[in-house]
Amino acid sequence: MQRYFIELPEINDTLELPAAIYHHAIVVMRMKVGDYFEIVAADKKVTTMQLTKVTSNSATARVDYKFKHAVELPLQVTIACGLSKKDKADWIVQKATELGARRFIFFRGDYSIAKWDKKKQEKKLTRLKKIICAAAEQAHRVEVPTVHYAESIKNLPLKEYSNKIVAYEEAAKQGEKTALASLISKLREEKGSVTDTSLLAVFGPEGGISTAEVQYLKDNGFTLTGLGPRIMRAETAPLYLLAALSYALELA
Amino acid sequence: MQRYFIELPEINDTLELPAAIYHHAIVVMRMKVGDYFEIVAADKKVTTMQLTKVTSNSATARVDYKFKHAVELPLQVTIACGLSKKDKADWIVQKATELGARRFIFFRGDYSIAKWDKKKQEKKLTRLKKIICAAAEQAHRVEVPTVHYAESIKNLPLKEYSNKIVAYEEAAKQGEKTALASLISKLREEKGSVTDTSLLAVFGPEGGISTAEVQYLKDNGFTLTGLGPRIMRAETAPLYLLAALSYALELA
């Protein structure tokens, strides 16, 4: 069922569709009176709505069913990525939103070739926010992840996180196998109370992460973490991490 | 280090670079005498080579070091996907190769909008093979996954597989949480002897998998499997599966 996020604090009996939702539901999706869709309001509750009236420029729907279903990863994961070339940021946020990330930070790494100047930052973040919102709707999530820019690795908000890891290609090459399993086993023990647990995971750009950056992260409590024996592209590694966390915390 | 696959049965003392490798290493990557690269021959052994002679149309390298490092997922995973639109097949094979898949089959699903006629099949498969080979080199793998086309779900080579699952969106919606964990716990018990174990995992196209297809798969020993509580796009689900398998079989 089509899902929309809405800024209202909660959904009561009826809803006049805001313009953007009217456009998508009525004009693009051609929904008619009697059709259903879902709304997620600011209270994170999912409500099934049924269209009761459609005119050429407005539409009204009424509450059909309210439910709450655990669809959020039971761990607040922030994916911090070095700036990569082309549209890689686009699809990192799309896929990682489907996989349950809560927040994205793109930072200029020592080996980043791409640059986001002031003007580009704004344009890029606007574009990424749109992609994230569409992916969150499609993935039937109740949280819309946020996205930020950081001038360097030193601008990451380290103090907000109880767990911090950096994916390190050299760790994969050297066969590092224990860090991710240790982290996950700690998280599993905390499960139940794990909802407020947060993880900041740093990934380098295509060129990797510099020795100085690794040292800075180590000095600030990050664990160097291997993600299996194969070398992954910069944009694939965050997906591996999120899928492994989902499997271990939601299914295993 | 740059890695190349080569069709020779094994690497002996010296190697004259084949034309395609000469082009990439010398012309594109501008390697010079003294530079190193890796070769994977048909025996799956990885050999570090050092360039000893470079001319305007040929180059020779000598064996520097032979080693064998476990980089292959200890389970032969085949990803069978319904045909999807645009370039989705391109990036499914790229990412899933990085994540350790051994074989790909693209089939025409009941809800596939895309069609691959005879001419397109050939062109598509040639393109996919190139992408797979480049991804396998980049991921430092010793196996190059294969790729095939099947006219329908009924043409999948079921008998070759000891484990068969189908990712089913409805399972995610209904909160199915046990099938993947059961499969993985079985595979972990078999570990050690697990190298020859094979898994066929079927994923629908964007439109999903039809009731008739689900019934056919169930009748043929497939387990309907949820991949966590969020709804993933057709191209994201195979990556989730491979990352979960890698985590559980290689790291946990």
Side-chain angles (χ1 to χ4, degrees):
Chain A
M1 200 179 299
Q2 184 63 45
R3 168 168 294 192
Y4 300 106
F5 288 98
I6 198 165
E7 282 174 16
L8 291 175
E10 58 177 334
I11 297 294
N12 290 312
D13 292 352
T14 60
L15 170 76
E16 177 149 348
L17 272 55
I21 298 179
Y22 175 89
H23 178 79
H24 190 268
I26 310 300
V27 182
V28 180
M29 301 292 285
R30 296 166 188 267
M31 288 186 198
K32 300 196 179 352
V33 167
D35 286 351
Y36 295 91
F37 59 91
E38 290 171 354
I39 285 285
V40 185
D43 62 359
K44 313 289 174 206
K45 293 223 169 69
V46 179
T47 307
T48 306
M49 307 291 296
Q50 186 175 27
L51 276 169
T52 48
K53 193 178 152 197
V54 176
T55 76
S56 61
N57 59 8
S58 77
T60 313
R62 64 165 184 76
V63 169
D64 180 64
Y65 181 66
K66 284 197 183 207
F67 60 103
K68 194 166 163 69
H69 179 49
V71 290
E72 292 297 326
L73 198 59
L75 173 72
Q76 311 244 8
V77 183
T78 294
I79 300 292
C81 291
L83 293 188
S84 283
K85 285 184 292 182
K86 295 189 205 160
D87 57 357
K88 288 199 172 164
D90 290 9
W91 91 247
I92 290 172
V93 300
Q94 185 188 67
K95 298 300 160 220
T97 296
E98 289 174 55
L99 292 167
R102 286 286 180 95
R103 184 183 190 186
F104 298 98
I105 305 174
F106 287 93
F107 65 89
R108 180 149 165 68
D110 289 347
Y111 295 156
S112 282
I113 294 163
K115 279 186 196 182
W116 290 6
D117 56 29
K118 271 267 177 279
K119 207 175 144 192
K120 194 163 180 184
Q121 278 168 42
E122 210 172 299
K123 222 176 123 187
K124 273 278 185 185
L125 292 177
T126 305
R127 180 180 163 78
L128 293 176
K129 277 175 195 164
K130 272 190 200 161
I131 294 171
I132 290 168
C133 189
E137 287 174 351
Q138 209 242 280
H140 286 223
R141 292 188 54 178
V142 297
E143 296 273 0
V144 185
T146 54
V147 57
H148 315 273
Y149 173 77
E151 200 54 56
S152 104
I153 212 162
K154 298 195 174 165
N155 298 101
L156 297 176
L158 306 185
K159 288 187 182 148
E160 297 174 23
Y161 294 90
S162 46
N163 299 281
K164 297 182 287 259
I165 63 172
V166 49
Y168 192 43
E169 198 183 56
E170 292 306 318
K173 286 186 187 157
Q174 287 154 24
E176 191 291 303
K177 287 186 178 185
T178 58
L180 184 59
S182 303
L183 170 69
I184 284 178
S185 116
K186 171 177 169 280
L187 294 170
R188 281 168 64 103
E189 275 167 33
E190 290 168 4
K191 218 173 159 177
S193 65
V194 86
T195 317
D196 292 327
T197 306
S198 57
L199 170 68
L200 173 58
V202 171
F203 299 86
E206 294 104 332
I209 202 148
S210 74
T211 318
E213 286 172 326
V214 169
Q215 193 56 50
Y216 172 80
L217 295 172
K218 277 168 80 175
D219 292 346
N220 283 280
F222 279 74
T223 306
L224 266 55
T225 303
L227 299 173
R230 289 165 297 283
I231 308 297
M232 286 177 277
R233 280 180 169 82
E235 70 273 20
T236 314
L239 312 189
Y240 181 104
L241 175 69
L242 289 163
L245 289 168
S246 164
Y247 170 71
L249 301 176
E250 297 181 308
L251 296 182
Chain B
M1 200 179 299
Q2 183 63 43
R3 168 169 294 193
Y4 300 106
F5 289 98
I6 198 164
E7 282 174 15
L8 290 175
E10 56 177 335
I11 298 295
N12 290 314
D13 291 354
T14 60
L15 171 76
E16 179 149 347
L17 272 55
I21 298 180
Y22 175 89
H23 179 78
H24 190 268
I26 309 300
V27 182
V28 180
M29 302 291 287
R30 296 166 187 265
M31 288 186 198
K32 301 201 177 353
V33 167
D35 285 352
Y36 294 90
F37 59 91
E38 290 172 354
I39 286 285
V40 184
D43 62 0
K44 312 289 175 206
K45 294 225 170 67
V46 179
T47 307
T48 306
M49 307 291 296
Q50 187 176 26
L51 275 170
T52 48
K53 193 178 153 196
V54 176
T55 75
S56 62
N57 58 9
S58 77
T60 313
R62 65 167 183 74
V63 169
D64 181 64
Y65 181 66
K66 283 197 184 209
F67 60 102
K68 196 166 164 67
H69 179 49
V71 290
E72 291 297 326
L73 199 58
L75 173 72
Q76 311 245 6
V77 183
T78 294
I79 301 292
C81 291
L83 292 187
S84 282
K85 286 183 294 182
K86 295 189 205 161
D87 58 356
K88 286 196 175 165
D90 290 8
W91 90 248
I92 290 172
V93 301
Q94 185 187 70
K95 298 301 160 217
T97 296
E98 290 173 54
L99 292 166
R102 288 284 181 97
R103 186 182 189 186
F104 298 97
I105 306 175
F106 288 92
F107 65 88
R108 182 150 164 67
D110 288 348
Y111 295 156
S112 282
I113 295 163
K115 278 186 197 180
W116 290 5
D117 56 28
K118 272 265 177 278
K119 205 174 143 192
K120 194 164 180 181
Q121 278 168 41
E122 210 172 300
K123 220 175 125 185
K124 273 278 187 187
L125 291 177
T126 304
R127 182 181 163 77
L128 294 176
K129 277 175 195 163
K130 269 189 200 163
I131 294 171
I132 290 168
C133 187
E137 287 174 349
Q138 209 241 281
H140 286 225
R141 292 188 54 178
V142 297
E143 296 273 359
V144 185
T146 54
V147 57
H148 315 272
Y149 174 77
E151 200 53 54
S152 105
I153 213 162
K154 296 192 176 167
N155 298 100
L156 296 176
L158 306 185
K159 286 184 184 150
E160 298 173 23
Y161 294 91
S162 45
N163 299 281
K164 297 183 287 260
I165 63 172
V166 48
Y168 192 45
E169 197 183 55
E170 292 305 319
K173 286 185 188 159
Q174 287 153 26
E176 191 291 303
K177 288 186 177 187
T178 58
L180 184 60
S182 303
L183 170 69
I184 283 178
S185 114
K186 173 176 167 278
L187 293 170
R188 280 168 65 103
E189 274 165 32
E190 290 168 2
K191 217 173 160 177
S193 64
V194 87
T195 318
D196 292 326
T197 307
S198 58
L199 170 67
L200 173 59
V202 171
F203 300 85
E206 294 104 331
I209 202 147
S210 74
T211 319
E213 286 172 326
V214 169
Q215 193 55 51
Y216 171 80
L217 294 173
K218 277 166 80 174
D219 291 346
N220 283 279
F222 280 73
T223 306
L224 266 55
T225 303
L227 298 174
R230 290 166 297 282
I231 308 297
M232 286 176 278
R233 282 180 167 84
E235 71 273 20
T236 314
L239 312 189
Y240 182 104
L241 175 69
L242 288 164
L245 288 169
S246 164
Y247 171 70
L249 301 176
E250 297 181 310
L251 295 182

